[in-house]
Amino acid sequence: MQNTGTRSPATTPTHCPYCALQCGMNLTPVGGGTVEVSERTDFPVNRGALCGKGRTAAQVLAPGVRLTSPLVRSQGGALVPAGWDEALDRIAGSLGRTRARYGADALGVFGGGGLTNEKAYALGKFARVVLGTSQIDYNGRFCMSSAAAAGTRAFGLDRGLPFPLEDVPRTGCVILVGSNPAETMPPSLRYFTELRENGGTLIVVDPRRTRTAEQADLHLAPRPGTDLALALGLLHLVVAEGRVDEAYVEERTSGWEEARAAAMAHWPEHVERITGVSVPELREAVRLFCAPEAAMVLTARGPEQQAKGTDTVGAWINLCLATGRAGRPLSGYGCLTGQGNGQGGREHGQKADQLPGYRRLTDPAARRHLAEVWGVDPDALPGPGRSAYELLDALGSDVRTLLVMGSNPVVSAPRAAHVEERLRSLDFLAVCDVVLSETARLADVVLPVTQWAEETGTTTNLEGRVLLRRRAVTPPEGVRGDLEVLHALAGRLGVEKGFPVDPEEVFEELRRASAGGPADYSGIDYRRLAREDGVFWPCPAPPPHGGPALRAAVTPPPAAGDTAARPDVAAPGAEDAAAPHPGAPTPAAGGTAPHPGTPRLFLDRFATPDGRARFVPVAHRPSAEEPDEEYPVLLTTGRVVAQYQSGAQTRRVAELNAAAPGPFVELHPRLAARLGAAEGDPLAVVSRRGRAVAPARITTGIRPDTVFMPFHWPGEGRANTLTNPALDPDSRMPEFKVCAVRVEAVPR
C-alpha cells in the first residue's frame, strides 16, 4: 500500500528490503496490520522513486503471508507448529551430535546477501567460534564474487562502486556490461537518462535488447560467454588507434606491456567472428568511450557469472586503465551489486575465505586481530572452507548438518535439482526465514524470523554507503530475530557470552573487528548514520588523544595458487596501522574530527603496496560448455522487473504476480519457426543437467542462437535446473550466464 502524503509522527524513515540501491522509503502503521509505504525524497540514491517491489514490500509483513511459528518435522513427515524451546533444542542437539560424531567441519552454515551487517557478522562469528567449522559461505558468492576478485587483483580493494551514483550523469560515457537496471533496479535508470540528457553517451553490452538497451546510444549484442573477447577487442583498437593514455599508464599502473601483448592477439576481425559484434560497431564503441575526458565501465552479472568471470571483468578494467579512466574524477570501473546487502554481506565474515573488515582468513595478523576481539586463541579459528556451490555439493557426505539463514538455494543455486537432492540427503537441515521458501519446506526445523521493517540494523549499498534500517513495526507474536536465534543456539552449545541480541551492541563490536581493515567501519555509529543518512566506508575512527589515525592498510595478494583467499584483501599487521587508505581524506589537525567517510576511492593512489593499479594479462577462452549437435543453443538467465531473486517473497504479492505470473522462454522468431512454436506455446529447454518447461515469448530482441529464462520460479519452469555449476578458478562463481541447451516443442 502506498501513501504520498505528509509524514505522520508514527512514520519511520527506512530503506527497501530488496536490491542494492537500498532506496529510502517511509513506513507508517495504519492499523489492522497494514503498513503504508510512502516516498522519501530526501534520500539521495532514489530521490523518492520506488519500483513496484519497493511499493508493495510491506505486503509481505502480513501475518497471513509470513511465518509466525516455529515448525518441526513430525514423525509422520509433516512440518507442524512447535514452541521455540523445542525447535531450538532440536537444532542445537543435532549440531552437537554431528560435531561429536563427525567433527566440526561436518557442520555447514549458508548465509545470505540480504542479511544485515550485524547478522552477517554474528553468523560468521557463530560458525567459527561456536561451531568451530570452516564450512560457511553465502549466496552472495553467486552475485558478484568475480567482480570482487578482479577489482582486488587490479586495485588492491573491492568496493562495488568506488564512486557514488551521483557521478554517473556527470561523466562523458558509460559502458554498461551485462546489466539491465531498467528491470533489476528501476530507480537507478534515471542516472543513465540524465547522463544522456547532459550530452553523455550510453553503450549497453547485452545479448538481448532489454529495456535498458533500448535507451542506449549503441547496443552491442555479443554471443553469450564472449564478453572477454569483446573487451580485448576494444583494447586492441585503443592501442592500434593511438588512444592509450601513455602518461597515466606510466605514472599510475604496472604490468601494461604484458596486458598490451595479450590484447593485440585479439584483432577486430577475430573478435567479430567470436562475438558476432561487427568491426564497425567495435570501432564506434571505442570512439564513443575515448572521446570525452571522463568515462566509466560498469559491469553486472552478465560478464561476472561465467567460469572466466574474473578474467572477463579484468579485461574491462584493463580497458579503463589503458585509457586513464580509473582513479580520476567522474571516471572508473564499478560493479552494480545485486542483493540488498551484497556489499556489506561479503565484508564481515560470512564468506568462506574472509574475516570481518574484509580481512583475509589466511592472514596471521587478521587472525590475531579478530581473535583478540572475540576473546579466543587465533589457532582455534578454522581456515578457509568451501565456496557456496562446493559447500552445497558436499551436503549429505562431508557436511551432515546445515543451518541456512536468509537464502533459498533450491531455486537460486546452479544445477538446482542436484542441490535439492543434496539438501534432502542431509542428516539435519535447519532454516531461518520469513516465509516458507522452497528450501524451508525441506527442513527438519524452520524458524520464523523478523524482517526488514521489524528490526533495526545496517546495510551497505552498492556505493559502499553504510545505511541504518530502522524498526518501524512490532513483529508478530511468535517471531524472533536472527540475532536472538544465534544467541540462543550459542548458549545451548556452551557459549554463554559474545552473542548479544541488540543490533547496536553487535555493530559496536563489528566496528572494533573492522578497525584497520580494508572495509573499516570503526568511525561509524548508529547516531551518525541516523544524522547523516549514510556514511561511505572506509571510515576509520578518530585517533585517540590526537595520535595517528587508524587507517586501512593493504598487503600484496596471495600467491597464484591460493584461490580461496584471492578475492579478499589482507589486513595489516600492527606495523602497518598508519598506512594511508587510497582516497581517504586526512583527519583534521589534532586528529579529533570524525572521519568524513570516503565516497570516492583511488583519487590519489590505489590500494596496492606501491599505489599503482595492476594490469592483468588475460586471453579469451571458450565457455565451460559450448553448443554442439545435441545441445545447439545457448541459454542465458536473468531477472524481470516484478520479481526478485528466488522470488520467495515477491511471489507472495498479488500485484507482482499479476505483472510476472511465471517463467517463460524468450527466443528469436527464426528459432521459433524452426520449432513450429507460437507465442505462449509450451517449450522444453533441456541441458545436460535437466529439463525445464515454460511458455514461449517470441521477440526479435534476442540473438537467434540464444534463449533466455528468468530464474525466479521453482517447479518445472525452474531455470536453474539447467545452469552449469562450472566454477571460476579465482572467485568460485558458477557459470549461470551461459550453457548449452536444446529447445523442444511440447505437445499441448
Side-chain angles (χ1 to χ4, degrees):
M1 185 173 183
Q2 185 180 24
N3 169 33
T4 59
T6 304
R7 183 190 300 177
S8 77
T11 295
T12 302
T14 189
H15 296 275
C16 179
Y18 293 119
C19 82
L21 288 178
Q22 288 295 281
C23 292
M25 58 170 57
N26 293 315
L27 295 181
T28 306
V30 292
T34 302
V35 179
E36 288 185 342
V37 176
S38 60
E39 288 92 348
R40 181 179 162 198
T41 58
D42 61 329
F43 185 61
V45 175
N46 63 309
R47 292 176 277 173
L50 293 171
C51 73
K53 296 186 289 292
R55 287 188 296 100
T56 60
Q59 293 185 27
V60 188
L61 297 169
V65 176
R66 50 88 53 78
L67 294 169
T68 56
S69 171
L71 303 174
V72 300
R73 187 74 59 184
S74 70
Q75 289 185 350
L79 284 171
V80 297
W84 271 93
D85 283 340
E86 178 186 355
L88 290 166
D89 287 345
R90 285 202 187 192
I91 298 173
S94 178
L95 292 169
R97 288 190 298 273
T98 299
R99 183 171 57 184
R101 182 173 181 181
Y102 299 106
D105 275 355
L107 305 176
V109 177
F110 200 85
L115 300 180
T116 63
N117 290 317
E118 292 81 358
K119 292 192 282 191
Y121 172 83
L123 186 63
K125 180 181 178 183
F126 175 82
R128 295 183 174 102
V129 172
V130 178
L131 302 182
T133 183
S134 66
Q135 301 303 303
I136 175 172
D137 210 66
Y138 79 127
N139 62 17
R141 178 77 68 172
F142 300 157
C143 180
M144 57 173 294
S145 56
S146 292
T152 300
R153 197 164 68 175
F155 307 130
L157 180 70
D158 158 50
R159 194 180 82 186
L161 290 181
F163 42 74
L165 277 169
E166 68 184 43
D167 285 0
V168 171
R170 301 162 57 205
T171 193
C173 178
V174 171
I175 302 180
L176 193 59
V177 189
S179 177
N180 183 18
E183 298 206 54
T184 59
M185 46 181 65
S188 73
L189 192 64
R190 67 171 56 184
Y191 291 99
F192 302 101
T193 302
E194 292 170 7
L195 164 73
R196 300 185 69 211
E197 291 172 348
N198 292 340
T201 55
L202 176 63
I203 302 170
V204 171
V205 178
D206 199 304
R208 304 167 60 222
R209 189 162 182 81
T210 63
R211 296 182 187 180
T212 304
E214 288 174 352
Q215 302 194 29
D217 297 280
L218 177 64
H219 173 214
L220 306 179
R223 181 175 177 268
T226 64
D227 309 271
L228 175 52
L230 178 62
L232 287 164
L234 297 180
L235 182 53
H236 178 110
L237 286 171
V238 165
V239 176
E241 296 177 2
R243 298 180 185 271
V244 176
D245 188 334
E246 301 286 358
Y248 173 92
V249 169
E250 175 67 25
E251 294 169 7
R252 299 204 60 188
T253 72
S254 62
W256 167 234
E257 289 305 319
E258 294 83 357
R260 177 186 181 279
M264 296 314 288
H266 297 75
W267 59 95
E269 292 77 11
H270 179 52
V271 169
E272 181 182 72
R273 287 193 296 271
I274 293 172
T275 66
V277 177
S278 70
V279 172
E281 289 176 312
L282 296 173
R283 294 189 184 279
E284 178 65 1
V286 168
R287 185 189 69 81
L288 292 174
F289 184 65
C290 293
E293 182 178 348
M296 299 174 178
V297 172
L298 304 178
T299 68
R301 306 302 80 74
E304 298 162 16
Q305 288 181 329
Q306 299 183 30
K308 53 181 181 290
T310 301
D311 284 353
T312 300
V313 173
W316 290 101
I317 291 174
N318 286 349
L319 179 67
C320 289
L321 295 177
T323 53
R325 308 307 178 91
R328 284 179 167 174
L330 307 181
S331 287
Y333 163 77
C335 170
L336 299 177
T337 306
Q339 295 192 75
N341 197 31
Q343 181 69 55
R346 68 181 183 276
E347 294 168 1
H348 296 301
Q350 65 171 332
K351 196 175 175 186
D353 44 21
Q354 52 96 10
L355 289 168
Y358 226 154
R359 290 177 156 100
R360 201 174 66 218
L361 187 55
T362 55
D363 180 64
R367 296 171 67 85
R368 288 194 299 271
H369 175 81
L370 266 298
E372 182 177 356
V373 173
W374 291 344
V376 298
D377 184 343
D379 294 335
L381 295 176
R386 293 176 173 90
S387 70
Y389 178 76
E390 292 166 305
L391 172 57
L392 295 172
D393 189 43
L395 300 180
S397 54
D398 294 336
V399 176
R400 311 298 294 255
T401 291
L402 182 70
L403 172 65
V404 176
M405 188 170 283
S407 187
N408 188 18
V410 166
V411 178
S412 64
R415 197 185 173 196
H418 172 73
V419 168
E420 180 176 348
E421 186 273 330
R422 300 320 304 155
L423 285 161
R424 292 180 184 275
S425 74
L426 283 163
D427 293 348
F428 191 90
L429 172 63
V431 174
C432 302
D433 212 331
V434 174
V435 297
L436 193 63
S437 70
E438 287 71 27
T439 302
R441 291 180 185 276
L442 305 180
D444 296 282
V445 174
V446 182
L447 299 180
V449 291
T450 52
Q451 53 181 308
W452 60 290
E454 302 162 347
E455 60 186 13
T456 294
T458 62
T459 62
T460 306
N461 81 344
L462 77 172
E463 309 164 296
R465 188 193 303 252
V466 186
L467 304 166
L468 182 64
R469 279 191 196 161
R470 300 168 175 86
R471 174 169 164 160
V473 296
T474 302
E477 185 178 355
V479 173
R480 298 185 184 180
D482 293 284
L483 296 178
E484 294 178 86
V485 170
L486 295 175
H487 171 85
L489 291 176
R492 283 167 167 79
L493 292 167
V495 180
E496 300 292 339
K497 296 181 179 180
F499 291 88
V501 300
D502 176 22
E504 187 170 9
E505 188 175 347
V506 177
F507 190 80
E508 288 300 303
E509 182 177 306
L510 183 156
R511 293 176 63 198
R512 299 194 303 275
S514 72
D520 191 335
Y521 284 32
S522 61
I524 305 172
D525 59 35
Y526 273 29
R527 286 181 297 178
R528 183 174 178 184
L529 291 176
R531 184 174 65 249
E532 300 180 27
D533 213 1
V535 178
F536 292 86
W537 71 260
C539 183
H545 312 299
L550 272 178
R551 299 176 183 169
V554 295
T555 61
D562 191 1
T563 56
R566 184 178 297 163
D568 300 300
V569 182
E575 67 276 12
D576 296 324
H581 197 284
T586 302
T592 58
H595 191 288
T598 314
R600 296 169 181 87
L601 293 168
F602 312 139
L603 294 180
D604 299 319
R605 68 190 304 273
F606 293 96
T608 56
D610 60 4
R612 292 172 173 264
R614 296 181 289 242
F615 282 97
V616 178
V618 295
H620 174 72
R621 58 186 185 271
S623 297
E625 188 175 79
E626 292 286 339
D628 57 22
E629 289 186 5
E630 187 176 3
Y631 301 98
V633 177
L634 290 168
L635 168 70
T636 191
T637 64
R639 289 167 49 191
V640 297
V641 67
Q643 300 289 352
Y644 180 73
Q645 303 301 71
S646 75
Q649 295 185 45
T650 52
R651 284 187 276 111
R652 287 165 168 80
V653 177
E655 178 182 328
L656 300 179
N657 281 335
F664 56 86
V665 180
E666 184 179 281
L667 72 165
H668 192 274
R670 286 183 359 216
L671 178 56
R674 290 203 301 271
L675 297 169
E679 182 77 13
D681 284 353
L683 294 177
V685 183
V686 184
S687 78
R688 289 177 173 85
R689 289 152 296 281
R691 182 175 187 266
V693 178
R697 182 173 295 183
I698 302 172
T699 173
T700 57
I702 193 168
R703 293 174 54 96
D705 59 1
T706 301
V707 295
F708 166 83
M709 291 187 71
F711 59 76
H712 309 290
W713 290 274
E716 71 170 3
R718 180 174 59 186
N720 278 321
T721 296
L722 309 168
T723 49
N724 191 352
L727 301 180
D728 180 288
D730 296 284
S731 68
R732 317 308 288 169
M733 166 78 84
E735 192 157 68
F736 287 97
K737 285 303 181 192
V738 53
C739 70
V741 299
R742 66 174 180 266
V743 185
E744 304 168 340
V746 177
R748 287 185 178 273

Coordinates of all heavy atoms in Angstrom, one line a residue, residues 15 31 109 111 326 447 472 542 544 606 713:
H15 N 14.6 1.8 4.7 CA 15.1 1.5 3.4 C 14.4 0.2 2.9 O 14.1 -0.6 3.7 CB 16.6 1.3 3.4 CG 17.4 2.6 3.7 ND1 17.7 3.5 2.8 CD2 17.8 3.1 4.9 CE1 18.3 4.5 3.4 NE2 18.4 4.3 4.7
G31 N -2.9 0.5 11.3 CA -3.9 -0.3 12.0 C -4.3 -1.6 11.2 O -4.2 -1.6 10.0
V109 N 27.1 -23.9 7.3 CA 26.3 -22.7 7.5 C 26.2 -22.0 6.2 O 27.3 -21.8 5.5 CB 27.0 -21.8 8.6 CG1 26.1 -20.5 8.7 CG2 27.1 -22.5 9.9
G111 N 24.7 -18.6 4.5 CA 24.0 -17.3 4.7 C 23.5 -16.6 3.5 O 23.3 -17.2 2.4
A326 N 40.5 5.4 -14.5 CA 40.3 4.9 -13.2 C 41.1 5.8 -12.2 O 42.2 6.2 -12.5 CB 40.8 3.4 -13.1
L447 N 12.6 -21.8 11.5 CA 12.4 -20.8 12.5 C 11.9 -19.5 11.8 O 12.5 -19.0 10.9 CB 13.8 -20.5 13.2 CG 14.4 -21.6 14.0 CD1 15.7 -21.2 14.6 CD2 13.4 -22.2 15.0
A472 N 10.2 -0.3 12.3 CA 9.0 0.6 12.1 C 7.8 -0.1 12.7 O 6.8 0.6 13.1 CB 8.8 0.8 10.6
P542 N 38.2 8.2 14.8 CA 39.1 9.3 15.2 C 40.3 8.8 16.0 O 40.1 7.9 16.9 CB 38.3 10.3 15.9 CG 36.9 10.0 15.6 CD 36.8 8.5 15.3
P544 N 42.8 8.4 19.0 CA 42.8 8.7 20.4 C 43.9 9.7 20.8 O 45.0 9.6 20.4 CB 43.0 7.4 21.1 CG 43.8 6.6 20.2 CD 43.3 7.0 18.8
F606 N 46.1 3.8 -5.6 CA 45.3 2.6 -5.5 C 45.8 1.8 -4.2 O 46.8 2.1 -3.6 CB 45.5 1.8 -6.7 CG 44.9 2.4 -7.9 CD1 45.7 3.2 -8.8 CD2 43.6 2.4 -8.2 CE1 45.2 3.8 -9.9 CE2 43.0 3.0 -9.3 CZ 43.8 3.7 -10.2
W713 N 11.4 -18.7 -10.3 CA 10.4 -19.7 -10.0 C 10.9 -21.1 -9.8 O 11.9 -21.5 -10.4 CB 9.4 -19.7 -11.2 CG 8.5 -18.5 -11.2 CD1 7.4 -18.2 -10.6 CD2 8.8 -17.3 -12.0 NE1 6.9 -16.9 -10.9 CE2 7.8 -16.4 -11.8 CE3 9.8 -17.0 -12.9 CZ2 7.8 -15.1 -12.4 CZ3 9.8 -15.8 -13.6 CH2 8.8 -14.8 -13.3

